[in-house]
Amino acid sequence: MLKHICLAVTLLTAAMSLSAQDLKPIKLAPPQLNPGISLMQALKDRQSVRSFAKRPVPLEVLAQLLWAADGVNRPDSGKRTAPSAMNRREIDIYIAAADGLSLYRPQDHALQPILKQDIRALTGRQSYAAEAALNLIYVADFSRVADNTDTDDTMIFAAVQAGCISQNVSLYCVQAHLATVVRASIDKEALAKAMRLSVHQKIILAQSVGYPKE
Ligand SMILES: Cc1cc2nc3c(=O)[nH]c(=O)nc-3n(C[C@H](O)[C@H](O)[C@H](O)COP(=O)(O)O)c2cc1C
């Protein structure tokens, strides 16, 4: 009996996995640097918003948001819009949307599809997470840190980097008329399992993004 259940789960997982075609990276539109609102205005209007319209966020808007979050702003060095302690760049941005989970690749400004499932509801303990068009998940990959022992500094550096990225996202959201809230209330174990993270990857924060409910 147990054997049959295991087989059924394996087949179901395989059916939900991505084909080679599905796994093709999606190249994102380059950043548009034309003036929007002033930085001071964005700071004045930044706030947490926790109710979201069902409307999806277009890929062109996501492209701008991800570049603002942690895109490469100095191609010569590959350095990013967000600072990172010792330039470790250990935070990855995963994007949970209705059509699945993907990973932002700053180095070529592309989206790497990871899963087909809609795991938005698992990205937060609060019900609005399931409704927001996008939930960004900030994941530290400590395999990229030479001394990857779980020291206080290792965690602090990762958390600060995630915080810097989240503030970039929040300010971009003001400019793009998007609602957002950064969140720590996450069942990290369940989410890490759904995302199939490795033992070296730790979820630091999540951030819901979408159009505000009218
Ligand atoms: C590290 C961190 C974790 C947070 N976690 C949550 C959360 O789990 N759920 C939530 O609704 N808001 C969360 N927030 C948002 C705060 O509640 C919010 O920033 C605070 O109430 C101030 O409101 P404001 O952002 O509108 O200024 C978090 C903020 C930070 C910085």
Side-chain angles (χ1 to χ4, degrees), residues 46-48 50 126 128 181-185 205:
R46 189 219 60 85
Q47 61 178 311
S48 298
R50 299 178 179 81
Q126 290 154 293
Y128 61 76
V181 57
V182 64
R183 299 184 283 99
S185 175
L205 288 171

Side-chain angles (χ1 to χ4, degrees), residues 14 39 41 61 81 87 99 114 134 139 141 166 177 180 195 212:
L39 175 62
Q41 187 65 47
V61 176
T81 56
N87 197 25
D99 60 355
I114 304 284
L134 307 169
V139 176
D141 185 344
S166 95
H177 307 289
T180 192
M195 293 173 71

